[in-house]
Each structure stands twice: as C-alpha cells, then as structure tokens.
Amino acid sequence: MSSVKLKQVYLTANDPGRLAEFYEGLGLKVRFADPGKWIQFVSDAAAFCVAGPTESVSDQLQDAVLVFDVDDLDAAMERAAAMGAQVGAVRDMESHGRAGKVRDPGGNVIQFYQAAG
C-alpha cells in the first residue's frame, strides 16, 4: 500500500479566529490569510487550513482525524481541555504507545499520540 502525501487539509469552522486561538494555544503556528474567512497553519509537514462557513470545502474530509505526535500525552490533553476542547478517554495502544481524541471548539476531531518509550 502506498502512502499519500497531503498538501492541504481543510477544517470547517463558524469562527476561524477562535480555532486559530485554540491551535496556537496547543503550540501550532498560524498564519492568517483572511481572518474572517480562513486561516492557514504553518507546518513543516502538510499545510492545513480552517475555512469559515462561507468558504467552499470538500465534504470528503468530514470524517478525517488530524493526528498530532506529542511528547507528553497527558499534558496535551489537559492543555486542549483548558483551551475549550471536549476531551475523550486516553487509551493504550499495546506496545505502540497511547492516544487520546479530542473535539476542538469547531467540532473537528483531533487525536494526540504519544509513542511508547
């Protein structure tokens, strides 16, 4: 199975500015392209954007989950909760590590992953 390199990932949001604050609070760099309509996150990996409700975004990504590799899963979950995310349970992934899903203030599902060891 070949891998797919994403160039852009879009999240929809009623308040892109609020989501920018949320993700900046998690330590991600954000570049505003048009604050009322959409923002872009600055990353060494794939670029991803948050688009407002008036922007055209493909419905094909509605079930996508963004996964962030973190050094301290518990700290990331606590920080996300403090920033307004709905936080789910942390689960062990056998010898692979631990993961926890949260729903950001815009309703998008993200997952934090901490590798074993």
Side-chain angles (χ1 to χ4, degrees):
M1 182 174 175
S2 63
S3 63
V4 175
K5 182 177 180 182
L6 294 175
K7 293 185 178 180
Q8 293 281 336
V9 174
Y10 286 88
L11 305 174
T12 58
N14 288 328
D15 187 352
R18 171 68 181 104
L19 278 189
E21 291 173 9
F22 173 80
Y23 284 104
E24 284 179 324
L26 295 180
L28 294 171
K29 295 179 182 175
V30 176
R31 176 178 64 219
F32 280 85
D34 185 341
K37 295 182 180 178
W38 63 282
I39 56 175
Q40 182 176 15
F41 294 84
V42 179
S43 170
D44 292 336
F48 60 102
C49 303
V50 172
T54 60
E55 297 301 300
S56 176
V57 177
S58 171
D59 290 336
Q60 296 175 358
L61 292 175
Q62 283 185 345
D63 295 330
V65 176
L66 297 177
V67 178
F68 297 100
D69 189 6
V70 296
D71 293 329
D72 186 340
L73 177 63
D74 296 321
M77 297 290 281
E78 288 174 15
R79 185 180 229 175
M83 296 295 299
Q86 295 175 345
V87 177
V90 172
R91 63 182 174 88
D92 289 321
M93 300 174 61
E94 298 179 15
S95 62
H96 299 292
R98 300 169 50 219
K101 288 185 182 175
V102 304
R103 190 172 295 277
D104 72 19
N108 303 294
V109 176
I110 60 175
Q111 177 175 297
F112 295 115
Y113 169 75
Q114 180 181 348

